[in-house]
Amino acid sequence: EMQDVPAIAEAMHARGGTVVMDNTWATPLLFPPHERGVDLAVEAGTKYLSGGSDLLLGLVSANAKHYPALKRTYEHFAPCAGPEDIFLGLRGLRTMGLRLREHGARGLAMAEWFQARPEVLRVLHPGLPDDPGHAIWKRDFSGASGLFGVILKPVSEAALAAFLDGLELFGMGFSWGGFESLVIPFDPTVYRTATRWQPGGPALRFHIGLEDPEDLKADLEAGFARVAAVG
Ligand SMILES: *Cc1c(COP(=O)(O)O)cnc(C)c1O
């Protein structure tokens, strides 16, 4: 789901506030936060930076106005990342652009594939022309990463469990951005405050990795067959 970041930044700055954004989904390669009005941007370095789900790093950047405060805070807290994590992060940076492009293309193709499935109610991917966030995404972003949501038509809990538990290529995990595809059920009801979350069916978050897309589709098709069998 897209937010109108330039509009949020403008409204916030008019009131003297500071805009902080989590830019993990797009990375600075697909969304330059400071050019869009963001003062401080945070990124999970655990995701596309590494590409291997194998390091612990976080990143913060600031525009010129807020950089002195960020630098001061950094010096006071003196956080030190591990040398091996930094090595892996630097190595990952060299291939990050290429990997991200591939995750994005495969993710959009899989989103379109899901959209055509009879078991699917709705796909949440801003790259789809009928997505409510498509216009904002086209204006502000230069691409999509491999993470998106799928709302299934209502099924029993047992059928959903059969779908998820039997998948062979999709691990169930939170730390997306690596070469492996992931799925995780999600329910934002408890932390969503501005609008009510009424998806109309079970919500699944997918990350599309670098496996053969045909293998991923076969895995998911087998999952949908299990759903039909359980009912
Ligand atoms: C994963 C994630 C984080 C935090 O990642 P860690 O791996 O816990 O450092 C922060 N923001 C978003 C949007 C994420 O997806």
Side-chain angles (χ1 to χ4, degrees), residues 22 24 44 46-47 175-176:
D22 185 330
T24 299
T46 49
K47 309 277 171 60
S175 197
W176 52 278

Side-chain angles (χ1 to χ4, degrees), residues 10-205:
E10 198 186 324
M12 188 49 92
H13 290 150
R15 289 158 181 79
T18 300
V19 180
V20 183
M21 177 191 180
D22 185 330
N23 194 29
T24 299
W25 181 77
T27 85
L29 294 181
L30 303 179
F31 183 89
H34 305 304
E35 288 173 27
R36 303 279 184 269
V38 174
D39 297 308
L40 292 143
V42 298
E43 318 262 344
T46 49
K47 309 277 171 60
Y48 288 122
L49 183 66
S50 143
S53 310
D54 52 5
L55 57 73
L56 284 176
L57 279 180
L59 297 86
V60 194
S61 62
N63 56 15
K65 183 177 171 208
H66 289 82
Y67 182 71
L70 173 60
K71 186 159 186 290
R72 229 170 22 248
T73 307
Y74 173 78
E75 284 162 1
H76 287 167
F77 286 173
C80 285
E84 187 166 346
D85 301 78
I86 291 171
F87 163 71
L88 289 169
L90 280 173
R91 197 176 65 171
L93 271 177
R94 267 102 186 183
T95 56
M96 183 171 153
L98 279 175
R99 285 185 282 107
L100 192 57
R101 210 183 304 158
E102 202 56 38
H103 284 289
R106 290 163 187 233
L108 184 57
M110 288 303 294
E112 286 165 350
W113 182 84
F114 274 113
Q115 217 175 18
R117 291 292 310 189
E119 300 88 351
V120 170
L121 190 63
R122 200 181 146 205
V123 179
L124 305 163
H125 189 304
L128 296 171
D130 57 354
D131 187 271
H134 185 66
I136 290 176
W137 175 76
K138 268 197 97 133
R139 186 193 63 193
D140 293 345
F141 290 72
S142 57
S145 64
L147 191 79
F148 60 92
V150 173
I151 314 295
L152 299 179
K153 289 179 184 165
V155 291
S156 69
E157 207 166 301
L160 185 64
F163 177 81
L164 293 170
D165 291 345
L167 291 173
E168 291 187 355
L169 296 178
F170 290 83
M172 285 179 71
F174 284 103
S175 197
W176 52 278
F179 52 84
E180 288 158 303
S181 289
L182 293 179
V183 61
I184 198 94
F186 71 94
D187 178 3
T189 308
V190 290
Y191 51 82
R192 177 165 296 223
T193 54
T195 55
R196 276 182 71 199
W197 175 248
Q198 293 174 302
L204 301 174
R205 189 189 77 175

